[in-house]
Amino acid sequence: MTQDADKTTHFGFETVPEHEKAGRVQGVFNSVASKYDIMNDVMSMGIHRVWKEAMMDWLAPRPGQKLLDVAGGTGDVSFKFLGRAGHGHATVLDLTEPMLVEGRKRAEADSLTGSLDWVVGDAMALPFPENTFDVYTISFGIRNVTRPQEALNEAYRVLRPGGRLMVLEFSQLPNPAMQKAYDLYSFNVIPRMGQAIAGDRDSYQYLVESIRNFPDQETFLSMVRAAGFGQAKYRNLTMGIAALHSGWKL
Ligand SMILES: C[S@@+](CC[C@H](N)C(=O)[O-])C[C@H]1O[C@@H](n2cnc3c(N)ncnc32)[C@H](O)[C@@H]1O
């Protein structure tokens, strides 16, 4: 967990000192929190819901399971998980408190507060003992983490033996022509929508740049394996615009 003062990383297409990234990411999500859910629906034309259902299909939640949903934001994945499991418990952890505040409002509206905890924390230093959770999810979160490998190592630590990791993240389209068309849409349309709907072009510019910078499916698969996960596999969603990576703590 050492932090070298000279090390740099990406913040979108900018190169920034590692120690600045988390604060910049928090700035983005502080600024979008109140509009996050509506923007997600508009920008993805509702497809993020389909991807999250695909995540649940592969995960197949079971009654009584204990989920840790890291970078859980407004709680989408946890709500779906609890709905599918019937009963269980979900801990939503996120770096940005205003995102959790929005999620808690939704939980209150759905009378789900008893099955949920909301914790402010960092994916790279989880405030839980080892072998605690049955399932670890991170959805559209890991590309924002300064050192994703450390987040995966932490996932492995807090899962109990037999526990399951599942990561939903934007990925790379294997077909170059399609990638070009997708880039045209994302770089031209999404920041403008961010400006028009949320009055915040810069946050959505960061969003599309961070998507473009994230490792491709095979590279990320090797990172999942490097953290210790067995039976690591991935599935593309919508031709690779997003991907699900799964692994087990065996
Ligand atoms: C795009 S949102 C995803 C929210 C939710 N999981 C979803 O799928 O709708 C990304 C979230 O990651 C959180 N995040 C970024 N870096 C983090 C870190 N190092 N540890 C925990 N959460 C982090 C942000 O605060 C933000 O709420």
Side-chain angles (χ1 to χ4, degrees), residues 45-134:
M45 295 175 268
I47 292 170
H48 77 104
R49 292 172 182 259
V50 177
W51 293 338
K52 286 169 180 161
E53 292 299 339
M55 183 185 204
M56 291 302 131
D57 289 345
W58 200 9
L59 204 49
R62 292 195 304 278
Q65 281 187 321
K66 232 172 129 178
L67 166 72
L68 174 62
D69 181 26
V70 171
T74 58
D76 257 11
V77 166
S78 293
F79 293 131
K80 287 189 194 300
F81 182 90
L82 291 171
R84 295 267 190 129
H87 69 93
H89 189 274
T91 301
V92 187
L93 176 135
D94 201 283
L95 199 61
T96 311
E97 196 165 14
M99 292 288 281
L100 297 176
V101 169
E102 292 300 318
R104 209 179 285 133
K105 285 186 210 159
R106 288 173 64 190
E108 278 160 15
D110 290 353
S111 308
L112 267 174
T113 43
S115 313
L116 283 155
D117 285 330
W118 305 87
V119 177
V120 177
D122 188 334
M124 297 190 300
L126 296 173
F128 308 108
E130 58 191 32
N131 304 332
T132 302
F133 297 96
D134 300 303

Side-chain angles (χ1 to χ4, degrees), residues 113-169:
T113 43
S115 313
L116 283 155
D117 285 330
W118 305 87
V119 177
V120 177
D122 188 334
M124 297 190 300
L126 296 173
F128 308 108
E130 58 191 32
N131 304 332
T132 302
F133 297 96
D134 300 303
V135 181
Y136 172 111
T137 52
I138 183 163
S139 153
F140 302 117
I142 201 154
R143 73 174 190 285
N144 299 295
V145 174
T146 308
R147 293 180 296 281
Q149 187 66 58
E150 282 182 23
L152 291 170
N153 297 347
E154 276 290 86
Y156 190 85
R157 184 183 67 77
V158 301
L159 277 170
R160 66 166 180 76
R164 177 99 181 262
L165 163 91
M166 190 155 301
V167 182
L168 170 58
E169 190 48 271

Side-chain angles (χ1 to χ4, degrees), residues 8-47:
T8 57
T9 188
H10 297 293
F11 176 77
F13 287 169
E14 255 184 88
T15 301
V16 297
E18 270 200 348
H19 65 271
E20 278 183 17
K21 175 153 173 168
R24 304 267 305 255
V25 166
Q26 244 180 318
V28 166
F29 289 100
N30 270 325
S31 139
V32 304
S34 63
K35 301 258 169 52
Y36 178 78
D37 289 318
I38 172 91
M39 282 300 290
N40 248 359
D41 279 337
V42 174
M43 285 180 326
S44 75
M45 295 175 268
I47 292 170

Side-chain angles (χ1 to χ4, degrees), residues 215-248:
D216 64 24
Q217 290 82 334
E218 287 292 334
T219 309
F220 190 68
L221 185 65
S222 63
M223 292 167 68
V224 170
R225 289 189 175 128
F229 289 99
Q231 291 182 25
K233 295 184 178 115
Y234 70 85
R235 291 179 181 175
N236 281 338
L237 300 172
T238 318
M239 297 167 299
I241 291 179
L244 285 167
H245 282 76
S246 161
W248 296 82

